[in-house]
Amino acid sequence: LGLALRPSLPKVRVTAPASTEGISKNLGEGLRHQFVNVRNTVSQRAAVSLNEDFRSGLDDWQTRSVVSTGWSFDGNGFVKPGTLALYRPSLGLGDYDMEFLGLNDKKALSWVVRAKDFDNYYVVKLVVTKPGPLPTIGITRYAVIDGKAQPSLDTVAAINARPDMPYRVSMDVHDDTFLLSLQGTVADNWPEPRLKTGGVGLLVSP
């Protein structure tokens, strides 16, 4: 998992290959190449950019406990998230672009935006709703307010997916509007007036 953030005076971009258990060496090299391309693109556009490739460990990631419980690195050098961790350098931001590369090798590929703290944030997930050689991918999103998960909304992502396919995820978080793009195509957008500021985070879905 690698991360690149850019505030749009404040705006943000995030870049990451996530959860990669069982990935072949060739696929690992391909993900590294894609991550470098995404990071370079973000850096060229960003007035301010934050990049995370996890090579220096998890010092910039904050969890409720002392360590990032359940987080680990696989044989290809990619991070596999565990319990929710927030990226400290992003926590003071409001509007931003977030972009990352990730693999869904379990239940869902999950991340959070506008995370004020561990009790107030917005969750977005890519979920395999119909497995197979051409799986159907769903988008699940919901807010957590004062520690309580709010009702979720589910949509279908109109993308051509394959098992073990790396997803290029991009989110534009601006004022009350959230826009999600997958593989360079807009997949969903929605209003969210409750969460005004907050950074990004990563987690594995239960």
Side-chain angles (χ1 to χ4, degrees):
L1 185 52
L3 179 63
L5 298 159
R6 80 160 175 162
S8 105
L9 293 168
K11 252 221 175 202
V12 180
R13 284 256 173 204
V14 182
T15 334
S19 206
T20 58
E21 186 176 359
I23 298 175
S24 68
K25 180 178 180 180
N26 288 339
L27 181 55
E29 290 299 324
L31 282 172
R32 287 191 185 90
H33 179 70
Q34 290 191 51
F35 172 62
V36 170
N37 288 341
V38 171
R39 184 178 58 190
N40 290 342
T41 300
V42 168
S43 298
Q44 290 170 7
R45 292 196 299 242
V48 176
S49 65
L50 301 171
N51 296 279
E52 172 68 283
D53 60 12
F54 298 96
R55 292 178 183 174
S56 59
L58 300 172
D59 291 344
D60 284 334
W61 293 83
Q62 176 182 344
T63 62
R64 287 185 184 273
S65 57
V66 177
V67 296
S68 299
T69 306
W71 284 56
S72 63
F73 294 85
D74 73 1
N76 293 309
F78 296 109
V79 72
K80 297 187 290 184
T83 57
L84 174 62
L86 305 180
Y87 186 51
R88 286 192 185 94
S90 72
L91 296 182
L93 300 175
D95 295 343
Y96 47 84
D97 295 330
M98 170 186 183
E99 192 163 315
F100 67 91
L101 290 173
L103 284 170
N104 182 357
D105 67 349
K106 291 188 178 179
K107 292 182 178 179
L109 174 62
S110 308
W111 64 95
V112 306
V113 291
R114 284 272 171 92
K116 178 182 178 182
D117 51 38
F118 288 97
D119 292 319
N120 297 275
Y121 51 87
Y122 206 92
V123 180
V124 187
K125 301 179 181 182
L126 298 186
V127 182
V128 179
T129 59
K130 182 181 178 182
L134 297 174
T136 300
I137 305 299
I139 301 167
T140 296
R141 49 182 173 82
Y142 60 91
V144 174
I145 306 296
D146 295 330
K148 296 181 180 179
Q150 307 300 300
S152 64
L153 291 172
D154 301 297
T155 58
V156 175
I159 59 173
N160 295 320
R162 302 184 311 275
D164 295 331
M165 181 180 77
Y167 295 93
R168 178 168 179 165
V169 179
S170 177
M171 282 201 66
D172 185 342
V173 180
H174 186 75
D175 293 333
D176 294 345
T177 302
F178 289 35
L179 187 148
L180 169 65
S181 297
L182 300 173
Q183 316 299 65
T185 300
V186 173
D188 199 2
N189 69 89
W190 63 93
E192 177 47 70
R194 292 170 293 182
L195 305 171
K196 299 296 185 181
T197 62
V200 304
L202 298 166
L203 72 160
V204 66
S205 294

